[in-house]
Amino acid sequence: PQAAPENTPDATPTPAPPSSRREIVDNLSPEDVEKAIQAIQKSFLDGEVAGEAGLRRAALEGLLVRLNPGLLVSQDGSQQVGTAAFPYLSEILDAHIGYVRPGVLDKTALDQFDASLKSFAEKNVDALILDLRGVGGAGDFETAADFARRLAPRGKLLFTLQKPSAKQERIFTSNQDPVFDELVVVLTDARTSGPAEALAATLRVNTGAMVIGADTAGAAVELEQFTLGKGVTLQIAVAQVLLPEAGPLFPGGLKPDIAISLPAAVQEQIFRESTEKGVSQFVFETERRRMNEASLVANTNPEIESAQAALRGRAATLPKDTILQRAVDLVTAIQFYSKKPATR
C-alpha cells in the first residue's frame, strides 16, 4: 500500500532517544528552533502548558539537564556540599604504602593529612594512595591547593580558577617544598567532584601520579548560589578549573589512567566497615591455616577447623576493594621495576 503522507496522524515517527534528541536540536538553525517553538505554542493540545509561562518553565528544566553539573537546583537545603560521608582514615598497607581517605577537603582534614604524612615519614613509607572516591560537592579550592602543595614540587602551577573574562582568574601555585615526594596514586569515582577533581588532576600533572578508578563528575567549577523562594536554591557555575596544558575539567571530568569500577553498594559497605576495622582486610587475602608440626603434636587439624567454621558462618567472606587492590598492585609493580639492579 501507498505510504501515508508525512504530516498525517498515521505517519507518527518513532521518538528519538535523549542522546539523539540533543544532537537533532543542536543541528537546528536558530530559525528552525523558533519555528518549532511557535508550532508548539499554536498546536499543542494543552495550551496552558505550551503557553509562555509553561515554555519558560520547560526552558529552565531543560537547562538544568543540559548544563548539569554546572547548574544545580535543590529544595530546602537537600543538596549539601562540602560534607564528608565517611570520616578521615589513614593507614599503612603492606608495611610501606600510606593510604589516606580524607572524606572531605577542608581545614580539619588538611591538619589530619599533615599528621599522616609526618607519621609516614617516620615509618619509612615510600608510596601514597590518596583515595578521593566519594569526595564531592563544592568547596574551597585554596584548601585543595594546600593538599597538592604537600606533594607537588615548589614553583609548580597547580591550576587556575578562571571566569568567562580572561582577566578574572585566580592562579594557584606550589609555594613550598613537598612534604612527601615519593610515588603517588590517586583513586577516583563518579562522585569525585569540585576541588577533589582539581586535586586529582594537578597531582597527575605535577607529580606524575597515576589515577585509578572511574571518570570524575566534571564539576570542577566555582558555584554562585541564588535563593529562589519556597526553600529552592539555584547554584550556577561562574568559574572553572583549568589545568596547565590539559585545559578544563568541566564538563568532561578527569579520565583515569586505569579504568575500573566497584558497585556502589559494595564500595559503601567497605567504606563503612573500614571506618572501624581499617582497609587492609578488604585488600589482602587472609592466609589459610595449614597443617604444621604444632598441630600434629596437639592432634588437631586447622584446615578442617577452618572449613567447619566457614560452614557455621564464622568465616564469612568479606568483599574486596578491587580498585584499592589494583592500586597496591601498581605500586608494587612500579617499585619492583624501578629498582636498580645490584652491581657485582
Side-chain angles (χ1 to χ4, degrees), residues 154-187:
R154 178 191 289 269
K156 289 289 187 179
L157 171 61
L158 299 176
F159 55 85
T160 301
L161 190 60
Q162 186 181 69
K163 292 190 174 182
S165 170
K167 296 181 180 180
Q168 293 180 292
E169 63 179 19
R170 292 175 60 194
I171 298 175
F172 298 84
T173 60
S174 181
N175 54 8
Q176 64 184 54
D177 292 326
V179 178
F180 185 91
D181 60 357
E182 304 287 350
L183 176 64
V184 177
V185 176
V186 181
L187 308 186

Side-chain angles (χ1 to χ4, degrees), residues 14 23 92 150 159 178 194 229 239 241 304 311 342:
T14 302
E23 183 178 352
I92 295 178
R150 270 59 176 175
F159 55 85
V241 168
I304 294 177
L311 290 174

Side-chain angles (χ1 to χ4, degrees), residues 112-283:
Q112 293 171 307
F113 189 51
D114 284 336
S116 295
L117 294 180
K118 181 179 179 181
S119 175
F120 293 162
E122 294 170 350
K123 298 174 181 177
N124 297 319
V125 167
D126 56 11
L128 171 66
I129 297 175
L130 182 59
D131 194 343
L132 298 180
R133 291 176 293 174
V135 182
D140 184 357
F141 284 97
E142 183 62 47
T143 302
D146 280 337
F147 272 85
R149 290 178 181 119
R150 270 59 176 175
L151 306 173
R154 178 191 289 269
K156 289 289 187 179
L157 171 61
L158 299 176
F159 55 85
T160 301
L161 190 60
Q162 186 181 69
K163 292 190 174 182
S165 170
K167 296 181 180 180
Q168 293 180 292
E169 63 179 19
R170 292 175 60 194
I171 298 175
F172 298 84
T173 60
S174 181
N175 54 8
Q176 64 184 54
D177 292 326
V179 178
F180 185 91
D181 60 357
E182 304 287 350
L183 176 64
V184 177
V185 176
V186 181
L187 308 186
T188 63
D189 65 6
R191 294 182 298 164
T192 305
S193 65
E197 288 182 274
L199 174 57
T202 194
L203 290 180
R204 178 158 71 179
V205 170
N206 290 304
T207 72
M210 296 287 288
V211 179
I212 300 178
D215 293 4
T216 61
V221 294
E222 185 176 63
L223 299 171
E224 187 172 346
Q225 185 167 299
F226 298 85
T227 301
L228 302 181
K230 296 184 179 181
V232 176
T233 299
L234 177 67
Q235 294 175 306
I236 300 176
V238 295
Q240 66 176 335
V241 168
L242 301 179
L243 272 296
E245 300 180 3
L249 295 171
F250 171 79
L254 178 66
K255 309 295 181 183
D257 298 298
I258 300 177
I260 180 173
S261 61
L262 192 66
V266 174
Q267 180 171 300
E268 184 174 348
Q269 177 188 352
I270 292 171
F271 277 25
R272 183 175 60 252
E273 295 184 13
S274 63
T275 299
E276 297 181 358
K277 304 176 183 178
V279 296
S280 293
Q281 61 182 326
F282 302 103
V283 178

